[in-house]
Amino acid sequence: MSVQGSLDVSSDGSIKTKRKGTFNSLPGSYTGKGMAVLTSGGDSQGMNAATRAVVRVGLYFGCKVYFIREGYQGMVDGGNYIEEASWSSVSAIIHKGGTIIGSARCKDFREREGRLKAANNLIQKGISNLVIIGGDGSLTGANLFRQEWPSLLDELLTKKDINEEQKSKFGHLNIVGMVGSIDNDFCGTDMTIGTDSALHRIIEAVDAIVSTAMSHQRTFILEVMGRHCGYLALVGALATEADFVFIPEWPADTDWQNKLCRKLTQERLAGQRLNIIIVSEGAIDRNGEPITAEKVREVVVEKLNQDTRITVLGHVQRGGSPSAFDRILGCRMGAEAVMALMEASAESEPCVVSLDGNQAVRLPLMACVKKTQAVAKAMAEKKWDLAVQLRGRSFQRNLETFKMLTRLKPPRTAVEGTVPGVPRERVLQKGGYTLGIMHAGAPCCGMNAAVRSFVRNCIYRGDKVVAVHDGVEGLVKGNVQEMSWSEVTGWVAQGGAFLGTKRTVPTVDTMPLIAEQLKKFGIEGLLVIGGFEAYHTVLMLTENRSRFAAFCIPMVVIPATISNNVPGTDFSLGCDTALNEITEICDRIRQSAQGTKRRTFIIETMGGYCGYLATLAGLAGGADAAYIFEEPQSIDQLVTDVKHLASKIASGGISRGLVLRNECASENYNTDFIHRLYTEEGRDVFTTRVNVLGHMQQGGSPSPFDRNMGTKMAAKTVEWFVDKLMEEKTFTTPHSSVMLGIVSRQYKFTPVQELKLYTDFDHRIPCQQWWLKIRPLLRILAKHESTYVHENAIAVGVEEQAESIS
């Protein structure tokens, strides 16, 4: 449970908590307050984004913000290790991996004498508020430091290292934690800072290995990090279609050698030219014996005589540029951490900023630490089910989905289609439905992963899947074929849409033809994966049920569009991959001007009338401005933005500017106009270049997020179909035609007819969009005057929207 009360944003920009009164979020509200940020323990990508957000949001509130270099060691040593930060000192770091302020493991801080020195160093700088970015060990040390703080001050006063005024002024220490760890081993948060980037490194390695492994019909064993947590191995295996995975939370059976060999043999007999096995570095068997990559290799070579190689990824997983997800996560968590410190009092419980679904929340620090330690205890006591349960629902779902998708073979009934001598009614209780799947709208990454998961989930149950090629046009022409288990092998890592897709939606003329084809192929349930066209298609079929009985079947839309403009969901398949593509391109464009003095780039993104890509890519890329349709621009605002950017560059704060513009932000203030305006008004300070990214945003290999999201959404869709088909006989109600979306903290099925009330069809966007509340943070981090909007205010808004359309 969050330690924060629910919040409201008042008209004057202040934020009111129902438990704590009024919190002033206006610029300069806490002038002179001292705070510091440090990174401790192992480094992870995204730490710099979090550090940047802490510094700039702290300065926005008027605080004196300090870096503590080299973690707790720098706090103990003091001197130059505690350095005041400025706005420009965190410029051009958001794209860098690791941590620019350094991290180290500190033995001195484990002793009271070391903590005494640290307390004195902080007080001499006027610091009594700390943001710690690290793992559970670092956060536990911070909590002990906070508990000892009063006694440490007493001792310092006795030694006359501080005076009574200092003791009184800095009488309590406030701490807020953020978890930076690639292992995702901290209970209480869905994702830790760095995990998504580490997954990017893993799938990049596997995708590269696949080509060479296929050429030589090899088996590759990859060892990934995760001494005590198998998250990277498990999700990496899901995202790369690995054949086998070894993790510490769910140890392999004692006869794992035979099971592994049966699995690999079956895959080769089915025509597969390669096998991928992923081993977590902390993998064990049921007896607690370690399972190493070398041990697995020996089994495969001795029993199957396969050409087998080992690749140990090691610290490659920690390196590289952070993903868009980790940059945005670091920005949001950093801002929330500063907010928590500004609200803190002597009675405040130390908290850790966590991610719960799509919401940044504050949780009691030590409660999360104890739960994390409980996982280790359960594993030590060989209570494997409990260990998996303590990891959280997401970990459980990932494990269940992986086991299903990689089972030894599909059921016999799925292959034969019928069970001889068994009445159809009994077959239908276990399976035997005919379900259709198709795309509608533009292609995007993640579509193929969803199709693979849906096909295999259905076949696993004994259902039949027929795929419609080329969207609505293909359905009209009867371009339909049955899908097999092996047919979708290798689809997860591929971008685009193998089934084919078009932007066509049903018309008055094609409705009868669609109904005829649905009836011809005996389709009892229809899944449509796509963007606004998919939503519109299912809505039109639903609204014409009274005219065509063939439309009286359960129907589901899985949102898949880079624009993220579909109502009923916070995220769509493909938008994460597109964000990463835009962010990477922006990094390269900025780098191209490394030797050029003072240049500003105007970047046009896709998205139609939805400004999601421009806003989130702006936050991830450290943009100076992002122009979108949802927030109309005036000429005065545009000129002010140019002058603001020019002043930052002229003062030496930055050397290169970045401005993003959504393709439909304004009919008159188009990209060419923005380019000319910045060129003219900034001519004495910087030069300007323009880049239209175009369809590069739709390409590339799917990100781990999109691969995993597509896989799990399709699995949940199959469950929904089965429940509907087994419980209901007729399908004419709104709840039998739904959109599956991620809303706040959960997957949610929402009737498409109800979503119609919350859709702007003229501009093809939802009437309410959660990410608009993040835009003030983008402007604050770019040094604009703005009013901070609290993360919990976002959560309340999303939840209220979910309730209103349920």
Side-chain angles (χ1 to χ4, degrees):
M1 182 179 177
S2 172
V3 299
Q4 177 66 29
S6 57
L7 297 103
D8 297 308
V9 183
S10 62
S11 58
D12 64 354
S14 63
I15 294 176
K16 298 179 180 179
T17 69
K18 294 179 181 178
R19 289 168 50 188
K20 297 182 180 178
T22 300
F23 173 78
N24 194 346
S25 66
L26 297 176
S29 305
Y30 297 88
T31 300
K33 198 167 187 176
M35 60 179 291
V37 58
L38 66 91
T39 53
S40 177
D43 66 297
S44 63
Q45 307 96 322
M47 281 185 166
N48 287 329
T51 300
R52 172 178 175 269
V54 169
V55 170
R56 290 191 172 177
V57 176
L59 293 173
Y60 161 84
F61 282 126
C63 300
K64 292 188 71 174
V65 186
Y66 293 85
F67 294 136
I68 299 180
R69 298 190 178 275
E70 312 305 335
Y72 285 117
Q73 190 64 56
M75 193 189 299
V76 173
D77 294 342
N80 293 332
Y81 287 102
I82 304 178
E83 172 191 341
E84 186 170 357
S86 65
W87 191 89
S88 60
S89 63
V90 289
S91 293
I93 69 168
I94 194 170
H95 64 285
K96 294 181 179 179
T99 166
I100 63 158
I101 58 176
S103 181
R105 304 186 190 278
C106 178
K107 292 183 179 180
D108 293 339
F109 194 76
R110 296 177 184 175
E111 305 297 329
R112 182 177 172 84
E113 186 61 31
R115 295 192 290 275
L116 187 68
K117 292 179 181 178
N120 185 39
N121 290 331
L122 293 183
I123 290 175
Q124 299 309 323
K125 295 285 187 179
I127 300 168
S128 60
N129 299 278
L130 282 179
V131 176
I132 300 96
I133 310 172
D136 61 328
S138 301
L139 300 181
T140 301
N143 185 65
L144 175 62
F145 189 40
R146 177 184 179 277
Q147 290 174 337
E148 290 184 344
W149 185 260
S151 64
L152 292 173
L153 296 197
D154 289 338
E155 190 170 340
L156 289 172
L157 183 63
T158 302
K159 292 181 176 182
K160 297 185 178 180
D161 290 332
I162 63 173
N163 54 41
E164 283 286 356
E165 183 182 351
Q166 289 175 312
K167 181 177 181 295
S168 175
K169 185 176 181 180
F170 307 110
H172 64 274
L173 177 68
N174 300 314
I175 62 170
V176 174
M178 285 186 278
V179 187
S181 167
I182 68 167
D183 292 339
N184 202 31
D185 56 354
F186 191 81
C187 293
T189 185
D190 289 348
M191 291 284 276
T192 56
I193 297 171
T195 301
D196 187 68
S197 300
L199 284 172
H200 274 261
R201 302 295 93 79
I202 292 170
I203 68 168
E204 287 165 6
V206 175
D207 289 352
I209 282 172
V210 161
S211 58
T212 181
M214 185 174 292
S215 300
H216 298 277
Q217 298 190 61
R218 284 178 175 150
T219 293
F220 267 86
I221 302 166
L222 277 84
E223 181 184 292
V224 301
M225 286 186 167
R227 189 171 296 120
H228 305 294
C229 179
Y231 184 88
L232 288 180
L234 179 57
V235 178
L238 265 177
T240 58
E241 293 189 51
D243 300 290
F244 221 89
V245 66
F246 294 92
I247 60 174
E249 292 90 344
W250 192 254
D253 296 329
T254 50
D255 67 336
W256 62 267
Q257 297 91 338
N258 293 327
K259 186 176 180 182
L260 171 64
C261 291
R262 287 199 305 273
K263 170 67 176 172
L264 299 186
T265 301
Q266 180 194 307
E267 296 289 358
R268 291 301 174 99
L269 290 174
Q272 190 166 309
R273 291 178 58 87
L274 76 152
N275 295 108
I276 299 293
I277 302 167
I278 297 184
V279 182
S280 176
E281 63 178 336
I284 54 177
D285 64 17
R286 293 274 163 173
N287 296 323
E289 293 297 318
I291 297 177
T292 63
E294 179 59 34
K295 187 177 290 187
V296 175
R297 189 194 71 83
E298 291 173 0
V299 169
V300 176
V301 171
E302 291 175 8
K303 290 182 177 289
L304 301 179
N305 197 31
Q306 290 184 0
D307 186 0
T308 306
R309 305 298 171 90
I310 294 175
T311 298
V312 180
L313 294 186
H315 284 76
V316 168
Q317 297 159 88
R318 288 191 191 275
S321 182
S323 66
F325 182 94
D326 277 327
R327 299 186 195 193
I328 295 166
L329 182 64
C331 290
R332 293 174 68 183
M333 283 189 168
E336 189 70 14
V338 174
M339 183 71 76
L341 285 179
M342 297 304 99
E343 292 184 30
S345 63
E347 295 77 29
S348 298
E349 184 178 5
C351 68
V352 59
V353 179
S354 301
L355 184 70
D356 187 356
N358 185 32
Q359 177 182 350
V361 297
R362 307 176 201 168
L363 301 175
L365 172 60
M366 291 314 296
C368 294
V369 170
K370 288 176 181 176
K371 188 175 180 181
T372 302
Q373 294 169 345
V375 178
K377 182 181 178 183
M379 291 168 61
E381 296 174 353
K382 299 182 180 179
K383 297 178 180 178
W384 311 119
D385 290 324
L386 178 60
V388 171
Q389 180 185 342
L390 289 171
R391 283 288 182 216
R393 288 175 298 174
S394 178
F395 190 94
Q396 288 177 283
R397 284 196 299 266
N398 287 331
L399 182 58
E400 290 166 2
T401 303
F402 179 81
K403 288 192 289 187
M404 188 285 303
L405 291 174
T406 57
R407 72 192 310 268
L408 282 175
K409 60 181 178 180
R412 184 178 179 82
T413 55
V415 179
E416 297 181 351
T418 60
V419 183
V422 179
R424 175 173 170 78
E425 290 75 18
R426 286 188 58 193
V427 175
L428 289 179
Q429 288 176 1
K430 297 182 178 180
Y433 301 114
T434 299
L435 301 175
I437 183 170
M438 62 181 285
H439 297 312
C444 68
C445 291
M447 282 181 160
N448 292 325
V451 173
R452 170 184 177 266
S453 177
F454 184 77
V455 169
R456 291 198 169 178
N457 269 278
C458 289
I459 293 177
Y460 173 79
R461 292 190 61 262
D463 298 319
K464 175 182 174 182
V465 181
V466 292
V468 179
H469 292 265
D470 298 328
V472 172
E473 289 185 21
L475 183 56
V476 170
K477 295 175 182 178
N479 190 359
V480 179
Q481 72 172 70
E482 184 176 351
M483 301 293 287
S484 66
W485 182 277
S486 59
E487 199 168 355
V488 291
T489 299
W491 281 31
V492 166
Q494 303 301 317
F498 285 162
L499 294 184
T501 181
K502 294 188 177 181
R503 295 180 179 272
T504 310
V505 297
T507 64
V508 174
D509 294 333
T510 58
M511 285 282 185
L513 299 175
I514 292 172
E516 181 183 335
Q517 297 295 347
L518 291 176
K519 185 178 180 180
K520 174 183 175 181
F521 290 98
I523 295 174
E524 300 168 87
L526 181 64
L527 168 62
V528 185
I529 304 172
F532 202 89
E533 293 85 356
Y535 159 59
H536 200 186
T537 294
V538 171
L539 178 61
M540 293 175 71
L541 296 182
T542 304
E543 291 180 336
N544 281 275
R545 279 174 166 173
S546 59
R547 295 177 56 211
F548 303 99
F551 297 164
C552 296
I553 58 175
M555 291 182 279
V556 179
V557 181
I558 290 182
T561 168
I562 69 168
S563 301
N564 199 33
N565 64 330
V566 181
T569 186
D570 292 347
F571 298 104
S572 301
L573 280 178
C575 66
D576 183 71
T577 303
L579 273 179
N580 280 284
E581 291 295 322
I582 297 169
T583 303
E584 185 177 345
I585 293 169
C586 288
D587 288 347
R588 290 179 180 178
I589 289 173
R590 271 183 162 173
Q591 188 182 35
S592 71
Q594 192 75 41
T596 305
K597 292 183 178 180
R598 299 178 173 180
R599 176 162 289 175
T600 293
F601 294 95
I602 313 296
I603 311 293
E604 180 182 291
T605 67
M606 296 177 81
Y609 287 97
C610 180
Y612 175 85
L613 287 179
T615 297
L616 274 293
L619 192 60
D624 298 283
Y627 301 125
I628 63 173
F629 169 78
E630 291 88 346
E631 288 186 2
Q633 305 91 48
S634 67
I635 189 64
D636 291 338
Q637 179 191 339
L638 294 174
V639 172
T640 299
D641 287 349
V642 178
K643 292 180 178 179
H644 179 258
L645 178 58
S647 68
K648 287 193 296 183
I649 294 176
S651 64
I654 58 174
S655 58
R656 293 178 296 280
L658 181 66
V659 176
L660 273 69
R661 179 188 177 274
N662 170 248
E663 59 185 343
C664 295
S666 172
E667 182 178 357
N668 296 309
Y669 300 147
N670 57 24
T671 302
D672 182 62
F673 177 87
I674 300 294
H675 175 219
R676 291 174 180 273
L677 178 66
Y678 273 75
T679 300
E680 179 64 24
E681 295 298 322
R683 65 183 182 278
D684 295 331
V685 181
F686 56 79
T687 58
T688 309
R689 298 290 185 273
V690 65
N691 289 268
V692 179
L693 301 187
H695 285 79
M696 284 190 293
Q697 299 159 82
Q698 286 183 319
S701 178
S703 69
F705 183 92
D706 281 331
R707 298 185 192 195
N708 198 21
M709 178 178 167
T711 299
K712 289 198 287 190
M713 274 192 154
K716 294 191 80 66
T717 299
V718 174
E719 294 175 6
W720 184 89
F721 272 130
V722 172
D723 290 342
K724 286 291 181 184
L725 289 167
M726 293 185 70
E727 293 173 3
E728 300 179 21
K729 300 297 182 183
T730 59
F731 303 97
T732 57
T733 65
H735 288 276
S736 62
S737 182
V738 299
M739 170 78 68
L740 172 57
I742 298 178
V743 180
S744 186
R745 307 183 185 188
Q746 61 186 352
Y747 289 99
K748 184 179 179 66
F749 290 94
T750 308
V752 292
Q753 288 174 297
E754 294 183 14
L755 288 174
K756 184 179 179 181
L757 303 173
Y758 303 92
T759 305
D760 177 355
F761 282 95
D762 291 336
H763 299 103
R764 295 160 55 92
I765 56 176
C767 295
Q768 294 183 346
Q769 300 181 90
W770 67 271
W771 51 267
L772 288 171
K773 298 290 183 70
I774 291 181
R775 286 188 59 80
L777 177 59
L778 187 156
R779 294 186 64 81
I780 289 168
L781 294 178
K783 210 175 182 179
H784 291 276
E785 291 293 328
S786 191
T787 302
Y788 186 79
V789 179
H790 198 291
E791 277 278 340
N792 288 66
I794 298 171
V796 170
V798 172
E799 288 168 356
E800 287 172 350
Q801 178 187 358
E803 290 170 2
S804 67
I805 60 179
S806 62

